[in-house]
Amino acid sequence: MLLYYHKVLYKVQILMFLAKSSNHKVFKYVLKTSYRVIIMIVMKFGGSSVGDAERITGVCNIVKSKLAEKPVVVVSAVKGITDKLIDTAKKAALGNDVSKELAEIKEKHHKILNELGLDEKLVDPVLEGFYKTIDKIFVMKTTNAEIMDEVQSFGERMSVKIVAACLSKMGVPSEGFNAYDVGMITTPDYSNAEPLPDTEERIKHAISKLKVVPIVTGFIGKDSAGNITTLGRGGSDYTAGIIGGALDAVTEIWTDVNGVMTSDPRVVKGAKTIDQISFDEASELAYFGAKVLHPKTIWPAVRKNLPVKVLNSFEPDHKGTTIVRESTKSKEVIKAIACKKNIHLINITSTRMLLAHGFLARVFSVFEDYKKSVDMIATSEVSVSLTVDKDSDLDKIKNDLDGIAEVKVGSGKSIVCVVGEGMKNTPGIAGRIFTAIGKNHISIEMISQGASEINISFIIDGKDADKAVQVLHKEFFG
Ligand code: ADP
Ligand code: ASP
Ligand code: MG
């Protein structure tokens, strides 16, 4: 935020100097460029915001109302389409007839186009590409990470075309772009790709040349070999963050709720919008399950100290949440409670561990071998407990660990995470959390507090997850 204000201040100073020197040509030029540098926005609309013709019209009206801020628009696939593409590919890999699924995907997009008064054939070339990929899967009789990223790319490749055509029909010249055609080149880490270091420069260069409102695919990129990659499920938020960072812009994440809230409003009826939240708090919440924001979204903004906003496309006048480096002090010690489900808890016990140096290194090298990231960790002298969120390679990891210690894996667990910078200076928060949980007969299997002291996380059985979040929300927000 500070940098943002400095930029404004710096431009204002130049403008004043030029105004004094009455060099009007230069003055006009600087005015034009300052305008662009200061207030450009990247607006990302998620699946539910582009779920049907009415929603897409709503999105285009929001974009139209913001033309002065030179919007670059990022969109997700139409709601439910990414799941459907994955499901179709998996069925095809098993040799099943998928003509019904293919027809449903086609019909969904054609219906939207028809209702918008646009040519339904607009998405047909992209659909043809999808059919070819499905044919390949039929022949292969299996899928792999690379082809699954290609499969998932088709949703966004269709939605950008629809949104751009709708906006153009409203009188705003617009064009749909695949992110890789405007510079999004990534590592070949399928399903978890990262932009290459020069990606920001490439994006800046490509977008600055455009004379239309660009509608860019979220979620996807290409590696240097030309294969399609994805940034991970929910990754359109990250695409917007990357483009926002590249353009020194404000990133706006437009979704289906009024910003980042004190809890998931689907779980807690009385959840409230948080006006302002810090980068650190937002990161913790996103990482521990607040789906409203992909955990990596704010990385580029943190590096450049640019604000990120979370807004509601169903209620565009609501001010939502602003995420900044340092949030203003609030009277609430706790900002929010997040919950991440389907967690696997791995307990590793070894009596030999006592004083044995190098033991933890050996344990972690097993996770390293499978590129498995660990969410939470707690140690005692004879045991280490840690959690992972995906079951891929879990059996192999267990086997490898069996060689060095006794291992037990518990699945179907949940992490509950209480977040707030105010916790640093307020004693007794842990006491309040665990008393409230205990009173409700929910048993805790592991506890962890990060070194930053802005979160307290604990593991419980998945069946108690919603109740735990509701109990804690009541304890801290009434
Ligand atoms: P989009 O399609 O816009 O990307 P998502 O479904 O990915 O939207 O994220 C929005 C959803 O995140 C909300 O509908 C809400 O149920 C969920 N959510 C979870 N935790 C929170 C939270 N703390 N604040 C707001 N929304 C949350
Ligand atoms: N369409 C992708 C998904 O469903 C990316 C996103 O929506 O952010 O995960
Ligand atoms: Mg999302």
Side-chain angles (χ1 to χ4, degrees), residues 264-455:
D264 185 343
R266 285 181 212 192
V267 176
V268 178
K269 289 281 163 282
K272 302 177 197 96
T273 299
I274 307 166
D275 294 343
Q276 210 184 55
I277 191 167
S278 71
F279 286 142
D280 288 347
E281 289 169 326
S283 286
E284 298 279 359
L285 284 175
Y287 188 73
F288 286 110
K291 197 183 163 224
V292 65
L293 215 54
H294 186 280
K296 294 176 185 170
T297 314
I298 60 172
W299 288 3
V302 170
R303 253 189 300 114
K304 293 194 161 177
N305 199 10
L306 298 160
V308 175
K309 291 181 173 185
V310 181
L311 300 157
N312 190 351
S313 72
F314 292 70
E315 218 180 298
D317 293 330
H318 193 285
K319 67 179 175 13
T321 302
T322 306
I323 310 173
V324 290
R325 179 159 290 174
E326 271 169 44
S327 66
T328 47
K329 279 221 156 27
S330 72
K331 62 177 184 351
E332 316 283 7
V333 177
I334 298 302
K335 277 278 171 64
I337 303 144
C339 178
K340 196 168 173 181
K341 294 182 175 165
N342 300 322
I343 294 294
H344 307 275
L345 173 64
I346 307 171
N347 284 316
I348 304 160
T349 313
S350 165
T351 43
R352 282 176 296 141
M353 190 176 155
L354 190 71
L355 300 178
H357 82 272
F359 180 83
L360 279 180
R362 283 177 69 195
V363 167
F364 283 116
S365 73
V366 173
F367 287 86
E368 172 66 25
D369 290 346
Y370 296 96
K371 288 197 166 176
K372 193 93 176 152
S373 58
V374 169
D375 284 337
M376 258 174 83
I377 173 157
T379 61
S380 78
E381 275 188 343
V382 288
S383 70
V384 192
S385 301
L386 31 84
T387 67
V388 296
D389 65 358
K390 291 195 185 83
D391 61 4
S392 55
D393 295 323
L394 208 55
D395 288 344
K396 290 181 196 153
I397 289 176
K398 187 174 179 304
N399 266 346
D400 290 6
L401 287 170
D402 271 337
I404 46 180
E406 192 187 315
V407 186
K408 273 197 196 124
V409 178
S411 295
K413 310 287 174 192
S414 289
I415 300 179
V416 176
C417 179
V418 180
V419 175
E421 292 197 331
M423 284 200 288
K424 270 187 212 164
N425 313 313
T426 316
I429 298 298
R432 278 177 73 186
I433 293 173
F434 298 121
T435 305
I437 293 294
K439 268 191 195 158
N440 284 276
H441 314 290
I442 298 170
S443 57
I444 293 173
E445 300 184 33
M446 172 182 168
I447 299 175
S448 157
Q449 179 173 24
S452 65
E453 291 178 56
I454 69 164
N455 89 60

Side-chain angles (χ1 to χ4, degrees), residues 46-84:
S48 50
S49 300
V50 292
D52 56 36
E54 194 189 338
R55 297 304 319 141
I56 291 174
T57 309
V59 162
C60 292
N61 278 321
I62 297 172
V63 174
K64 201 174 170 183
S65 71
K66 297 249 190 172
L67 293 180
E69 292 163 74
K70 303 262 178 209
V72 173
V73 179
V74 173
V75 293
S76 293
V78 169
K79 188 177 182 169
I81 287 297
T82 311
D83 286 340
K84 190 94 192 166

Side-chain angles (χ1 to χ4, degrees), residues 140-154:
M140 285 161 55
K141 293 193 174 62
T142 182
T143 60
N144 55 43
E146 187 181 327
I147 203 155
M148 283 311 283
D149 272 11
E150 187 181 319
V151 162
Q152 291 174 73
S153 73
F154 291 101

Side-chain angles (χ1 to χ4, degrees), residues 44-49 76 234 237 253-257 259-266 274 285 289-293 336-338:
K44 176 263 172 179
F45 295 92
S48 50
S49 300
S76 293
D237 295 343
I253 305 295
W254 289 83
T255 184
D256 59 355
V257 289
V260 180
M261 307 183 80
T262 47
S263 233
D264 185 343
R266 285 181 212 192
I274 307 166
L285 284 175
K291 197 183 163 224
V292 65
L293 215 54
I337 303 144

